[in-house]
Amino acid sequence: MNALRRDQDIQLLHSQTWDLLIIGGGVTGAGIALDAASRGLKTALLEKHDFSGGTSSRSTKLIHGGLRYLKQFEFKLVHEVGTERAIVHRNARHVVKPERMLLPIVEGGSLGKFMTSMGLWVYDFLAGVKKEERRKMLSKEDTLLQEPLLRGDVLKGGGLYFEYRTDDARLTIEILKSAVEKGAVALNYAGVTDFLYEQGNIVGVKYLDALSGMEHELKARRVVNAAGPWVDNLRRLDRQDPEAARPKKRLHLTKGVHLVVPKERLPLQQSAYFDTPGDGRMIFAIPRGEITYIGTTDTNYSGSTENPHATQEDVEYILSATNHTFPGMKLQASDIISTWAGLRPLIHEDGKDPSELSRKDEIFISSTGLISIAGGKLTGYRKMAQRITDLVCKALGNRNECLTKTLQVSGAAFDSDEALAKFVEIQIGEAKQLNIPHKLVADLVSKYGSNTGQIIEKAYECFPGLQDGRAALLEAEVWYGVEHEMCQSLSDYLIRRTGRLYFERQHLEGYYQKVATAMAKQLGWSEQKRLQEISDFEAEYRNAVVFKH
Ligand code: FAD
């Protein structure tokens, strides 16, 4: 996935008829690309923005069994995503890590002591949770010892259980890199604008290369629409399908917002999943490095899908719930250092509120052969991909079995969490002469896993010309982003490949200009283009920190 080989990739896309074209480079599309390519299908993927630029960089970033779905009696869903949790962890250890979660039980809360205990037990059972990670119920005193910041007057006890934390955008890119290693071709900034038909069947697409402004055509035997919140736009574009204008089932978008505060403003001992007063919902607070993030909201959304953002109302909702549960913190809007907002592509059900809508995925096949998939979860991406690829393989007469259950994604070549920890130590040793803090190396491994060695090696190559190890590492990490992860813009790198806008915002001042200089050198940008990139990133930065009505 080399940004410098874009022209060759485009030529390759035109050189043949593909077995499968996937529209959308979020986690769903990436998962399908990996499954299909590993079964030997000639697979291409087009993404109109950057990979994971849609919902797949804007979630709560948990690989979870969906405890709250128990309240909706969605046992099958809990079982499926719970089982998948373990598989996703095993196949992507460096980006999917166990996370201890505390669920405080409060007077008037949505779950009482008995229901929480039962719920967590059923959850452990349905999700097949391993022994050492099973739930533990706590007395009021023990809950307060576990988390002294909790409000004591209404506390009745608590439940400790395990979820898994991820970086959704990194998970997506690692899956996609694996798909490309297996022979798929993936292109970002390539939006599908129309379908090609023969005798009423879709046989390819037209797409716009946003970087050159050129329109191209691509031929494929099957086309899958994995466009997340934009699934219905593509279904409407399928004009030879009589149902396109008025589909029986349609998407229902809801918006979810997260707020980021410095760790010292909400220094939790572990993640917490707590009640919001008044509406029966629950939200997460998740400590991560130097920050804690809190979310999410769930509100109907009908605005522009291109750039959803946090409003003052969203901010007030999350802050008020957090201050209610951790009253000593007295969090204010001025404590917020970053935010993100994402759209859930759910399936509409008449008369249901946003939080009541099912998170199950559904597949629609049009009379023209367009296969669309919507709904679902990050956690269930592999299973969704398997269902779609099974369908495509059946149609194409490919009998190969799904291999992804045991397929480690790029960067995840570790047999155990202990092997991952050992690898961190080895890399710290390897980076010794660069004289950089150990924490920087550990952070690199949590992003790039077993590929970290390539970055450190490159840093040594850059080192002789540069004055210090940190500067060499910056060059090397940018090089990896450009030549191995198809970074085309400053925002691709700072937001989606490294998560720095959300998780390291405090250190961005002065840093992003240096990254822009390194990218300009590596991608051959003019000075005008470099300044434009900085200004585009600053607009995204403002979007993350300014709350509008
Ligand atoms: P997307 O990631 O949106 O990808 C679709 C892609 O299609 C986009 O990148 C878009 O640019 C592209 N596209 C659109 N039109 C075109 C076109 N014409 N041509 C080419 N490309 C196109 N799930 C969990 O498991 N755990 C969680 O903790 C969790 N938290 C969540 C919190 C929030 C606030 C939200 C909103 C969702 C959360 N989810 C969670 C759900 C999960 O994030 C989504 O189910 C998942 O990311 C959807 O991925 P996707 O690939 O289907 O969609």
Side-chain angles (χ1 to χ4, degrees):
M1 296 186 68
N2 186 343
L4 300 175
R5 288 183 50 87
R6 188 174 179 85
D7 290 346
Q8 288 97 314
D9 282 343
I10 291 176
Q11 267 173 20
L12 185 60
L13 285 172
H14 300 166
S15 66
Q16 55 191 299
T17 297
W18 297 84
D19 290 328
L20 173 63
L21 167 71
I22 300 152
I23 307 172
V27 75
T28 309
I32 298 168
L34 177 57
D35 195 331
S38 58
R39 291 199 219 189
L41 295 185
K42 283 193 289 172
T43 305
L45 181 146
L46 297 176
E47 162 56 52
K48 79 169 170 181
H49 184 253
D50 182 29
F51 306 121
S52 76
T55 304
S56 300
S57 55
R58 300 156 185 265
S59 75
T60 307
K61 306 177 196 298
L62 288 174
I63 297 297
H64 60 155
L67 181 59
R68 76 180 197 83
Y69 310 130
L70 275 182
K71 273 169 69 181
Q72 296 164 325
F73 304 108
E74 298 218 41
F75 297 116
K76 202 165 162 257
L77 182 66
V78 175
H79 173 62
E80 180 173 305
V81 285
T83 313
E84 276 304 293
R85 219 170 54 151
I87 298 173
V88 177
H89 167 60
R90 216 172 42 227
N91 291 342
R93 275 181 209 278
H94 65 301
V95 278
V96 178
K97 301 197 172 136
E99 178 79 21
R100 204 170 49 174
M101 190 74 71
L102 176 64
L103 194 155
I105 302 162
V106 295
E107 272 166 33
S110 56
L111 291 170
K113 251 184 172 167
F114 178 71
M115 277 307 286
T116 304
S117 177
M118 273 298 286
L120 289 176
W121 183 83
V122 174
Y123 187 61
D124 281 350
F125 176 73
L126 288 177
V129 173
K130 50 186 177 189
K131 212 169 167 196
E132 60 276 19
E133 293 184 2
R134 291 200 188 136
R135 69 104 162 83
K136 207 170 137 194
M137 296 308 295
L138 303 176
S139 65
K140 172 175 177 169
E141 292 70 30
D142 285 344
T143 309
L144 275 172
L145 276 177
Q146 197 73 36
E147 186 46 81
L149 296 177
L150 279 170
R151 176 182 188 138
D153 56 349
V154 290
L155 191 69
K156 288 161 61 180
L160 265 183
Y161 67 109
F162 272 86
E163 293 285 17
Y164 287 79
R165 193 188 72 183
T166 191
D167 177 330
D168 43 9
R170 285 230 49 90
L171 178 64
T172 304
I173 198 78
E174 298 292 28
I175 298 167
L176 208 46
K177 275 155 67 188
S178 309
V180 171
E181 280 163 20
K182 301 259 172 241
V185 176
L187 200 67
N188 52 3
Y189 298 99
V192 168
T193 52
D194 208 351
F195 292 106
L196 306 174
Y197 297 90
E198 271 174 24
Q199 288 145 10
N201 292 318
I202 291 182
V203 293
V205 298
K206 283 187 183 168
Y207 71 92
L208 180 72
D209 172 1
L211 302 187
S212 68
M214 306 252 293
E215 198 167 56
H216 303 284
E217 290 187 355
L218 186 154
K219 293 279 178 70
R221 296 165 76 197
R222 288 292 178 279
V223 177
V224 166
N225 167 13
W230 297 271
V231 155
D232 278 355
N233 295 9
L234 281 142
R235 290 168 80 203
R236 275 193 292 274
L237 201 64
D238 181 11
R239 59 190 185 286
Q240 291 203 17
D241 173 33
E243 257 199 44
R246 237 173 293 116
K248 284 196 194 94
K249 288 204 170 181
R250 63 189 153 88
L251 288 194
H252 182 136
L253 300 186
T254 75
K255 187 180 76 167
V257 163
H258 290 85
L259 310 181
V260 181
V261 297
K263 178 89 177 275
E264 59 272 19
R265 289 298 293 119
L266 190 56
L268 299 180
Q269 304 302 310
Q270 65 268 296
S271 293
Y273 186 37
F274 54 94
D275 283 290
T276 56
D279 64 2
R281 292 192 63 248
M282 294 180 79
I283 63 175
F284 293 97
I286 302 178
R288 178 177 184 144
E290 295 178 33
I291 59 108
T292 301
Y293 66 90
I294 322 161
T296 175
T297 56
D298 197 1
T299 50
N300 286 326
Y301 188 76
S302 55
S304 160
T305 48
E306 292 312 315
N307 219 350
H309 57 262
T311 61
Q312 269 183 22
E313 211 181 339
D314 299 323
V315 168
E316 278 159 25
Y317 175 87
I318 295 175
L319 288 185
S320 125
T322 313
N323 285 331
H324 184 80
T325 303
F326 307 104
M329 298 322 295
K330 299 191 173 42
L331 283 176
Q332 297 178 4
S334 55
D335 291 313
I336 299 167
I337 52 172
S338 195
T339 67
W340 67 85
L343 301 177
R344 297 178 187 84
L346 306 176
I347 313 293
H348 180 79
E349 293 171 72
D350 280 335
K352 287 212 171 169
D353 284 338
S355 292
E356 292 166 354
L357 290 171
S358 169
R359 267 58 179 167
K360 272 191 287 219
D361 58 285
E362 283 204 37
I363 296 172
F364 314 110
I365 305 179
S366 78
S367 61
T368 57
L370 180 68
I371 305 169
S372 301
I373 179 154
K377 307 273 300 164
L378 190 70
T379 311
Y381 86 87
R382 197 196 64 86
K383 268 281 170 197
M384 290 164 73
Q386 184 176 355
R387 279 195 275 277
I388 289 284
T389 316
D390 282 348
L391 262 176
V392 173
C393 281
K394 198 166 167 207
L396 297 179
N398 175 316
R399 290 164 176 268
N400 291 338
E401 296 278 315
C402 175
L403 300 173
T404 54
K405 197 168 176 181
T406 52
L407 201 73
Q408 287 170 330
V409 302
S410 183
F414 306 105
D415 290 341
S416 62
D417 292 348
E418 292 72 34
L420 174 60
K422 203 166 163 205
F423 181 80
V424 174
E425 292 308 317
I426 295 170
Q427 293 309 307
I428 287 173
E430 294 288 331
K432 214 168 178 178
Q433 279 143 19
L434 289 170
N435 206 15
I436 48 180
H438 293 183
K439 190 183 162 302
L440 262 187
V441 181
D443 282 352
L444 276 186
V445 177
S446 69
K447 289 186 178 108
Y448 306 99
S450 44
N451 294 317
T452 303
Q454 294 181 53
I455 298 176
I456 292 177
E457 231 172 80
K458 186 74 182 175
Y460 277 113
E461 256 180 55
C462 303
F463 197 36
L466 292 163
Q467 311 231 311
D468 66 298
R470 267 180 195 261
L473 196 63
L474 182 148
E475 288 281 335
E477 199 184 344
V478 168
W479 160 82
Y480 190 81
V482 169
E483 294 201 18
H484 292 269
E485 299 194 335
M486 221 177 259
C487 279
Q488 297 284 3
S489 78
L490 189 55
S491 297
D492 294 350
Y493 181 80
L494 290 171
I495 302 177
R496 289 167 289 275
R497 299 305 179 277
T498 64
R500 286 201 164 88
L501 177 62
Y502 305 137
F503 306 122
E504 295 164 47
R505 220 274 273 154
Q506 297 105 310
H507 306 296
L508 268 184
E509 290 300 336
Y511 177 81
Y512 66 86
Q513 291 87 346
K514 288 185 193 159
V515 174
T517 304
M519 287 190 83
K521 202 164 67 189
Q522 297 186 27
L523 281 158
W525 290 344
S526 64
E527 179 57 7
Q528 191 190 4
K529 167 81 174 158
R530 190 184 72 86
L531 293 174
Q532 183 60 49
E533 284 292 326
I534 289 179
S535 141
D536 290 351
F537 172 68
E538 285 171 344
E540 300 245 26
Y541 189 120
R542 279 194 298 278
N543 199 35
V545 294
V546 180
F547 322 116
K548 301 160 209 146
H549 284 289

